[in-house]
Amino acid sequence: MTALLEVSGLTKRFGGLVAVKDIGFSINAGEILGLIGPNGSGKSTVMKCIMGIEKPNAGSVKLDGTDVAGWPTHRIARHGVGIVFQHARPLHRQTILEHIQLALLPDNLFMLVTDHKITRRAEEIAERVGLGQVMHRLPRTLPFADLRRLELAKAIARNPKVVLVDEPFAGLTAGEVADFSALIGSFRAEGHAVLLVDHNVKGVAALVDRVLAMYLGEKITEGTAEEVMRNETVRRVYLGGKIETAARPDREGKGHTPLLDVRGLGVLYGKATALDDVSIHVGEGEFVSVVGLNGAGKTTLFNAISGLVPFSGTVAWRGETLAGKTPGAIARGGIVQCPESRELFGDMSIRENLDLGGQHLTVAEAGKQLDWLFGLFPILKARQGQAARTLSGGEQQMLAIARALMMKPKLLILDEPTLGLAPVILEQLSKALEVLRQTTDITVLLGEQNVTFALPHADRVYVIEHSRIVWEGDPGRFAEEAGAGYL
Amino acid sequence: MLRSRTFQIVVPALLVMALLPLGVGGYILGLLTLAYYYAVFAMSWDLLFGFAGEVNFGPSFLIGVGAYTAALLNHYWMWPIPACLVAGAIAAVIGGAVLAVPALRLTGPYFGLVTLVAVLLLQNMLVLFAGITGGEIGLDLPDVLSIDDSTNYYYALAFMTVSGGILFGLSRSPVGLILQASGQDAIEAAALGFNVAKHKMAAFCISAFFSGLAGAMLIFYLGTASVGTVVDIAVGVNVIIAAVLGGRRTIIGAAVGAIFLIGAGEILRPLGQLSTFVVSAVALVVILFFPSGFMGRLLQSGGRE
Ligand SMILES: Nc1ncnc2c1ncn2[C@@H]1O[C@H](COP(=O)(O)OP(=O)(O)OP(=O)(O)O)[C@@H](O)[C@H]1O
Ligand SMILES: [Mg+2]
């Protein structure tokens, strides 16, 4: 049997940086190849080269025997390749159904009436991926997981021979990962060739036939999932160790001086309730985790605290109400949010983004903070001049966290910081947070659905479900009392 | 849902417009005739900006090329009006295609600058060759569409209705969807298998066709072609304001905006210089507080959110 997709000698350079170096592999029909590697190792770039979004500097990409390297993207797409992007990029003004219809249309200038067969097919696909209830809504009103479903729906609609899937599991809960795995598995059953990238090692291992591991643009090893995960280099540069539960130093007065006090918070988006009677409090120096599935209301809660959405109820910061304050004033008061959507300045360099964060510090302070952050995320130091927009997904996440820390917050709000980070970076971030906790009086409010990351550091945990707080307690008790569905 | 709502608004409005000549005088009819041609300019512009995502700062380049091609052919070679109109539209399409080439290579504000420069070039050429083109004074046309106010009014109304129908239909059709996707995220659209360059090129040509044709019709209504009426930057600015005021991405809104703009300019004429100021201030307020324009709200509030 000849391979459906055969890549050989693929190389891509960005200026002096070799993002992909002599990569080769082949995927047969009905096979899933996993592609793993630390952040910035070149996985997304490999996919973009196959899709024609980046032109490879060397190498060949054979689709069913035809070399398509260097072709324009739309021709490669028509030749049978589809991509599910790492970042969902829905069109703002089109409904979910229209997105799927779009993917079903031929590239023709003369389609002037909507074909009912296309509409019906689009509705079928929406049902199949679980978007049946929301297909007439606009993307911005949908939770994260549904946007990821939409990306898969488009790939199903296009029905390409080769499917490239970039981080489908990022930010999803265990249940959702299972759903998505089943959908991706159905590609295999239908005889497609699938290239899958994700940092969810368990999810990838369970699904793929083979794995290829990359590091700094080069192939380290290829084999079955087990073989690759046992590989010494893969363990060192990618998997890292287990996240440790650190002993909490009980500092004097900790958790007693109230810092943030949220009472009876309610938020409505149009007619939909996003938060209902939510009360939480955070004491000085505490590390509080808010655990909840996608769409439960974590981001809305943080946005209300940061003054970004209107709410009912009260939010008090050091005894003073925050009602009526602008987001800018709230941030200057010491509450800094590192949002899920990152909000980086895409055309500015890493260094400029960081300098903006440290604007209110003195030069000496800013320098010290910057050194510390560069120690934490060495990649940011090496790439200071690179525009934020061109960073890999994980690199952008590191920059977002670093920029928030640059502001020396009193209360740091981290919304899904683990999104798209390689296991080894998670371990580093985890250690960094631990250092932060031990050495400074910073207070942290963490929103996560990844409990293996949220629990080890937390002093206290809230569980939020369907817009309400349903559990509050000690992380030690979490597993038995509220863990179902998260662990 | 959206479609039916649009028709509920548009059909009665058209009926009223069709009956107007029975009740109002020649002065108002003349004004509306002008407004209807502007409506076509604005709708063509909206197809490019609202749907293909390309800001054309020089709509009067396309209008002017169409108008002057028709005018020169009529003035010097005595071509009959229908032939001049066709030639004007074709010339504008060629002009549009020439503009589209940089549009497909440049991104962001650079394309806008190219379109702006195109207008200035055209204007300078016309003035430079004043001996042929009539320069600032303009070029008299031997033929006019009609000398009867009502007939002229119906020509304009029919032309606006047909052009509007075609542009609106296009914007709601599958190709309109592809065009919007290309405008919002070209990489995504290409990854879905669409030749973004081809679709944008088509949008340019369609926009140019209607702009050029409307420009040519307008001068045969006025009986003279002059820089001030069909080429000047101010003409283009009015077209843009009309489209934005009426509501981007609605096509129909652009027509409403154009009629409003021309009407308001006239009602406020007694204020002299101040009238431009008042109209601009109103436009500014609408753009600041209702960024989706007059029709944006009206048309999109049903069933989409
Ligand atoms: N346009 C560009 N200009 C300069 N450098 C780039 C550009 N695109 C990507 N890079 C760099 O190439 C490297 C590989 O990026 P890529 O996005 O392929 O990583 P990745 O393996 O997908 O990482 P992640 O797991 O974080 O998504 C990164 O270091 C990135 O910063
Ligand atoms: Mg990536």
Side-chain angles (χ1 to χ4, degrees), chain B residues 24-80:
Chain B
V24 302
Y27 172 70
I28 293 187
L29 287 186
L31 201 65
L32 285 173
T33 306
L34 184 68
Y36 293 168
Y37 289 118
Y38 259 81
V40 177
F41 298 156
M43 290 189 291
S44 311
W45 187 82
D46 194 31
L47 183 75
L48 261 195
F49 176 62
F51 292 87
E54 297 288 348
V55 194
N56 175 6
F57 280 122
S60 55
F61 172 76
L62 302 173
I63 299 166
V65 167
Y68 268 88
T69 305
L72 292 170
L73 289 173
N74 188 249
H75 184 91
Y76 290 104
W77 288 281
M78 303 295 173
W79 282 29

Side-chain angles (χ1 to χ4, degrees), chain A residues 277-298:
Chain A
D277 194 21
V278 166
S279 300
I280 66 167
H281 60 96
V282 181
E284 187 150 20
E286 251 192 326
F287 194 121
V288 175
S289 292
V290 179
V291 173
L293 303 182
N294 290 310
K298 298 180 303 259

Side-chain angles (χ1 to χ4, degrees), chain A residues 250-268:
Chain A
D250 254 324
R251 259 188 280 130
E252 200 62 33
K254 173 168 170 177
H256 294 301
T257 328
L259 203 54
L260 180 73
D261 194 7
V262 175
R263 290 219 182 146
L265 196 70
V267 174
L268 290 175

Side-chain angles (χ1 to χ4, degrees), chain A residues 92 116 130 155 202 227 258 276 279 306 310 322 356 360 402 429 453 456:
Chain A
H92 309 300
H116 288 287
K202 256 200 277 173
E227 285 162 12
D276 182 17
S279 300
S306 301
L322 290 181
L356 265 179
H360 66 293
L429 183 65
F453 185 82

Side-chain angles (χ1 to χ4, degrees), chain B residues 7-230:
Chain B
F7 276 106
Q8 277 164 19
I9 298 170
V10 169
V11 173
L14 281 178
L15 267 176
V16 171
M17 289 180 187
L19 294 176
L20 269 186
L22 303 179
V24 302
Y27 172 70
I28 293 187
L29 287 186
L31 201 65
L32 285 173
T33 306
L34 184 68
Y36 293 168
Y37 289 118
Y38 259 81
V40 177
F41 298 156
M43 290 189 291
S44 311
W45 187 82
D46 194 31
L47 183 75
L48 261 195
F49 176 62
F51 292 87
E54 297 288 348
V55 194
N56 175 6
F57 280 122
S60 55
F61 172 76
L62 302 173
I63 299 166
V65 167
Y68 268 88
T69 305
L72 292 170
L73 289 173
N74 188 249
H75 184 91
Y76 290 104
W77 288 281
M78 303 295 173
W79 282 29
I81 291 183
C84 292
L85 294 181
V86 171
I90 291 175
V93 169
I94 295 172
V98 170
L99 266 191
V101 173
L104 301 172
R105 285 201 283 134
L106 300 174
T107 51
Y110 299 103
F111 168 68
L113 286 179
V114 169
T115 56
L116 204 53
V117 170
V119 178
L120 295 176
L121 273 179
L122 179 66
Q123 189 165 0
N124 276 318
M125 292 263 290
L126 291 174
V127 174
L128 213 59
F129 296 99
I132 303 168
T133 63
E136 305 274 15
I137 300 159
L139 199 62
D140 277 333
L141 300 177
D143 295 333
V144 289
L145 280 177
S146 164
I147 48 166
D148 176 47
D149 289 334
S150 299
T151 313
N152 271 323
Y153 177 84
Y154 281 120
Y155 274 136
L157 180 61
F159 176 59
M160 175 182 75
T161 308
V162 172
S163 316
I166 293 174
L167 290 168
F168 182 76
L170 264 180
S171 76
R172 296 295 135 109
S173 72
V175 271
L177 187 58
I178 299 175
L179 198 58
Q180 290 213 54
S182 308
Q184 285 184 53
D185 190 336
I187 292 179
E188 171 85 38
L192 289 176
F194 299 115
N195 186 344
V196 172
K198 181 173 88 180
H199 287 276
K200 284 201 174 175
M201 190 71 162
F204 267 99
C205 292
I206 294 166
S207 178
F209 177 85
F210 284 105
S211 302
L213 189 58
M217 299 263 296
L218 177 62
I219 54 151
F220 283 115
Y221 160 63
L222 296 172
T224 152
S226 68
V227 171
T229 48
V230 288

Side-chain angles (χ1 to χ4, degrees), chain A residues 77-286:
Chain A
R78 289 289 158 201
H79 215 75
V81 186
I83 188 165
V84 175
F85 283 106
Q86 178 167 3
H87 305 294
R89 298 198 293 197
L91 308 172
H92 309 300
R93 298 185 287 272
Q94 275 66 38
T95 63
I96 298 305
L97 192 64
E98 283 174 309
H99 278 82
I100 304 175
Q101 282 173 331
L102 178 69
L104 287 164
L105 292 175
D107 185 22
N108 182 334
L109 283 176
F110 302 100
M111 282 168 307
L112 302 177
V113 284
T114 311
D115 184 343
H116 288 287
K117 266 189 268 159
I118 288 188
T119 313
R120 225 168 310 125
R121 177 96 184 92
E123 284 165 356
E124 267 167 39
I125 295 170
E127 293 290 348
R128 174 168 162 198
V129 300
L131 291 173
Q133 297 299 314
V134 296
M135 61 188 167
H136 296 295
R137 289 184 32 194
L138 291 178
R140 82 180 127 76
T141 67
L142 292 190
F144 180 82
D146 282 352
L147 294 180
R148 303 300 306 175
R149 282 179 210 278
L150 174 59
E151 295 299 306
L152 278 180
K154 288 195 290 188
I156 293 172
R158 296 251 1 266
N159 195 24
K161 285 180 270 188
V162 175
V163 197
L164 314 171
V165 195
D166 202 354
E167 299 204 23
F169 304 142
L172 298 188
T173 56
E176 288 162 344
V177 168
D179 273 8
F180 276 53
S181 293
L183 286 170
I184 295 169
S186 70
F187 282 128
R188 166 167 51 199
E190 288 161 16
H192 301 265
V194 181
L195 180 63
L196 173 70
V197 167
D198 207 283
H199 292 301
N200 180 334
V201 176
K202 256 200 277 173
V204 171
L207 193 56
V208 300
D209 299 298
R210 275 180 303 132
V211 174
L212 186 153
M214 285 178 77
Y215 180 49
L216 298 178
E218 290 182 85
K219 172 164 156 180
I220 320 175
T221 177
E222 188 179 346
T224 65
E226 273 164 54
E227 285 162 12
V228 169
M229 302 306 170
R230 269 203 309 270
N231 179 291
E232 198 44 48
T233 321
V234 172
R235 298 197 77 86
R236 182 169 52 81
V237 302
Y238 183 60
L239 293 174
K242 219 168 122 15
I243 293 177
E244 307 284 334
T245 306
R248 263 166 287 281
D250 254 324
R251 259 188 280 130
E252 200 62 33
K254 173 168 170 177
H256 294 301
T257 328
L259 203 54
L260 180 73
D261 194 7
V262 175
R263 290 219 182 146
L265 196 70
V267 174
L268 290 175
Y269 288 138
K271 288 189 198 93
T273 308
L275 282 184
D276 182 17
D277 194 21
V278 166
S279 300
I280 66 167
H281 60 96
V282 181
E284 187 150 20
E286 251 192 326

